[in-house]
Amino acid sequence: MDQDLLAAFEQYRGELQAFLRTRLDSPELADDLLQDLYLKLDSYTVSKKIQAPRAFLYRAANNLLADHFRTQARRDAKHQAAADPADEATDERTPEQIALQRERLRLLQRAVTALPDKCQQVFRMRRFEELEKEVIAARLGISVNMVEKHLRKALSECQSALAARLGEGD
């Protein structure tokens, strides 16, 4: 990371955290997005000096918020569609829809298989066996926070795999 940008991040960290927390229901999620911002900045290479680092940081934080809300909206729409039994009665799937669903399933299977072993175990125990996080943690000898971290990674990897192959990331 550019040292000036790192200094600016440290200087405005509290402001950025407050900015994110006022826009999200969960302080933990705000902290996660702040960490994501730091990681993005860490991999960012600066070709010329950023003239307004504070504005740059706020813009980057706002972009992360927008990405989060877009992802959440897609997830909510999928859950709503799946939860509405009235739609099932009239839902005639076309061959194209069936093929797309099969492709998504295949991509998800590949993404889950590509996960690191522990992450894959946590994901399978939670999603397929429907075990509570505390039970998973006890079985695997890890903390509940680590279970949550593995779940976030698994979901992120699965979403990325689908978005990359099916163009849903736009």
Side-chain angles (χ1 to χ4, degrees), residues 46-104:
V46 179
S47 59
K48 60 182 179 176
K49 183 169 175 62
I50 296 172
Q51 296 301 315
R54 183 172 182 255
F56 178 87
L57 292 169
Y58 270 89
R59 180 67 172 179
N62 202 44
N63 287 344
L64 281 175
L65 277 171
D67 289 345
H68 167 75
F69 287 127
R70 267 193 302 272
T71 300
Q72 189 64 44
R74 275 196 303 271
R75 189 177 300 132
D76 290 348
K78 287 177 185 177
H79 286 284
Q80 181 63 30
D84 191 353
D87 287 344
E88 288 182 26
T90 60
D91 187 22
E92 294 288 329
R93 296 190 316 165
T94 66
E96 292 82 13
Q97 290 169 325
I98 293 169
L100 181 60
Q101 192 66 28
R102 286 182 180 156
E103 175 68 5
R104 283 184 177 151

Side-chain angles (χ1 to χ4, degrees), residues 13 17 39 43 64 105 108 110 114 118 120-121 129 133-134 144 149 160 169:
R13 175 189 285 272
Q17 186 176 40
L39 293 173
S43 65
L64 281 175
L105 181 58
L108 283 173
R110 267 201 222 152
K118 189 74 76 169
Q120 189 179 138
Q121 285 178 308
E129 296 177 34
K133 294 174 188 174
E134 295 78 10
V144 173
K149 180 181 175 184
S160 295

Side-chain angles (χ1 to χ4, degrees), residues 119 122 143-155:
C119 188
V122 169
S143 69
V144 173
N145 285 340
M146 188 56 69
V147 169
E148 291 170 349
K149 180 181 175 184
H150 285 305
L151 287 171
R152 279 193 304 271
K153 178 178 177 55
L155 291 173

